[in-house]
Amino acid sequence: MDSLPAVGLLRVDHVGIAVADLDEALAFYERAFGLRCVHQETNEDQGVREAMVAAEPDGTGARIQLLAPLRPDSAIAKFLNRNGPGLQQLAYTVRNLDETSAALRARGLRLLYDEPRRGTAGARINFVHPKDAGGVLVELVEPV
Ligand code: CMX
């Protein structure tokens, strides 16, 4: 492993949870856990309406990403059909997505996209296939 380039994960960025209805899920997380919405957007490319909720009002601490499907053929709609609502992904912040992607590919892990795509708030993102990551869909996030 010593000759392989460093992977460069910085921290856990967020944990993603698939939900059927974003507004209902937001109300639940606020009422049940006292978490607050710190960001909300629609990402057409990923086929989701999403919201970040956090305990810290400035969103600096760990965040939970609520993901609701925009279309029946989206990844989240497929996940809900197969599993129902629940944990869908674990996301890490990376310093440089191109370097991290190269380092993971050098270790034989499959990334889902040949080139990074647009994630939350314009971040560059890619994913490691869950079959190559111990059954966990891993998202890599290089923030703007
Ligand atoms: N976590 C763990 N395992 C998963 C999974 C997940 N989220 N999604 C699928 N799998 C498993 C399936 O259960 C299946 O396992 P088995 O073969 O043992 O049954 C296997 O992975 C492969 O499934 P597949 O039918 O080949 O692929 P899917 O159509 O289920 O798609 C995936 C899986 C990861 C390729 C797809 O969900 C994807 O492209 N994800 C990336 C994009 C995404 O998740 N977007 C929404 C979030 C947007 C954001 O975060 O901004």
Side-chain angles (χ1 to χ4, degrees), residues 18-20 69 71-88 112 129-131 135-137:
V19 303
R71 305 183 283 271
D73 64 344
S74 62
I76 295 300
K78 283 188 197 165
F79 182 92
L80 287 169
N81 286 339
R82 185 183 277 149
N83 307 287
L87 287 178
Q88 189 256 352
L112 293 185
H129 197 283
K131 290 294 176 190
V136 177
L137 174 61

Side-chain angles (χ1 to χ4, degrees), residues 103-114:
L104 292 172
R105 287 186 175 115
R107 288 162 171 79
L109 277 67
R110 280 170 297 164
L111 272 66
L112 293 185
Y113 310 138
D114 291 338

